[in-house]
Every structure is written in structure tokens, then in C-alpha cells.
Amino acid sequence: PQARPGAGTMLARGAVRMMSTEASARVVLVVGGSGALGRACVSAFKAADWTVVSADRVEDKEADHSVVVDGAWDSHVEQLAAPAAKLGNYSAVICTAGGWAGGSLSEPEDAVAGAQSMIEACYQTALSSALVSYKCMRPDGLLALTGAAAALGPTPGMIGYGMAKAATAFLSSCAAAPNAEGGLPDAAHVTLIAPNVLDSPANRANMPDADFGTFTPPAVVADLLLSRAEGGDGRAGAARGEILEPRTAEGVTTWHRR
């Protein structure tokens, strides 16, 4: 997929900014909308004339509606679902929230602290997104979660990160189970994106000696998710619950099923 180009006042924590109450045929919830991948998704969906709801710790002024959350993410399912009551059920729920922390068995304090922070930043946000999808996503909608290619195998130097991302992959498989077994409606689509390294300012700053030509542009991921969300040919050949890994070399990204 090709990359797409990419007002309000500050809110008190826990507030929701609603610019319009008119129902839209296509509404997307981007959880983690203020991060690098989240911002790319907000831009791509807005460019395609979707109504965009962004949820994060800070307000997203580019989105049509912004949910500013505080505290543990798993306590905010009702808040994340609130915009759907006015806008109509979501056609897509995309979780781009996350983070990174190291820590190995030889570094017990780092391992414990990393696990605690990654469970909140990566797994709890994904779980909230899945719960919101079950509660107020259209039966043929898209749930997209963000895993990690590294976490598809052992991550001994970053135990907490690997645990949280592996748990997110497991959650994706649960959401993709038949509806009769507790999964999302059978017409819904579920995708787990498993990137290696996204091309963000933070990653470039933290890895100054890396080959940036191997970093995946967030806009490329956003375009893939937009295509899946719009259905039709965008889901041709796609398997419910599939894991997609973007691999980038010399600035060119290809997609691989895992």
C-alpha cells in the first residue's frame, strides 16, 4: 500500500471533545491516537472522509472527536464507547497504543517494572479496544491490534515487552474465534499488525546508528488498516485473525503473513 499524506481547547482529564453529534456512516476509534502510528491512522482515515475518534492521555486536535483518559486503561471501556452513542457504532477500532521497556532475568527490578508498565501500555489498551469492539462495533467492522514481530518468539532482553505483545497476539486470536465461542461477530474482521521498528522520531533518537531504511513508515501501516476497514477488495484474501508483519528494506515495505 502507498502512504497517505498526512482546533479545539485543552480538556480536563477524562473529558470528551465532541465537534458534532451527527451520525456518520463510517466512524473509527483510534486508541493511542496521539502516538506516531496513531497520528498516521488519524490522518489516513480523515483523508478518506471517515469520522475519527481518538483516545489517548492527551487531546488529539486533528481528530473529529477526542477522548482524554486518565488512570488504568481497562477502566475506560465505557468512556471509549461513549462517542458511539452519538455517532453510531464504530466501523473500525484500531489500537495503536503501546511502549517499550527492557529487563531480563538477570535484571529482576527492571524485569518486574518493565512487565508492569508494558501490561498497562500494551495489553490493557488492546483489551479495552477488544471489549469496546464487542460492545459497540458494527457486525462487519474491523478490530486491529498492534503486536510486535519480535514477540512472536523469545525476547529474553525485554521480558515485559515480549509478554505484553504476546498476550496481545493471543487476545487477537480470541477475538477472531467464532462468535458462538465468545469471539466477535462472524462478519467482523480481526488483524494483528506485528511491526519490527516503526519510523518514528523517538525510535530514530533511541537508535541513531540503525539503518533507517529498514524502519517501517507509520503511514504505510495506516493505509493497510484503512484498506481493511473499508472492506471490499481491501479484505480480499485476508484471513480473520491473521498476523501481518511489515518488512522494510531500502525504504520499501512488503507485507508477510505469520
Side-chain angles (χ1 to χ4, degrees), residues 162-252:
M163 288 171 56
K165 290 297 189 179
T168 299
F170 183 78
L171 173 63
S172 177
S173 69
C174 292
N179 181 246
E181 298 177 9
L184 293 178
D186 292 331
H189 189 71
V190 182
T191 296
L192 179 82
I193 301 297
N196 290 283
V197 181
L198 292 174
D199 192 359
S200 68
N203 284 340
R204 288 191 175 221
N206 291 329
M207 294 178 278
D209 297 326
D211 178 2
F212 297 153
T214 65
F215 288 14
T216 300
V220 172
V221 179
D223 269 359
L224 184 281
L225 294 176
L226 174 62
S227 177
R228 290 290 166 88
E230 293 192 326
D233 291 341
R235 294 187 191 174
R240 174 175 161 112
E242 67 186 353
I243 299 173
L244 292 179
E245 177 190 350
R247 299 176 188 170
T248 303
E250 298 182 350
V252 177

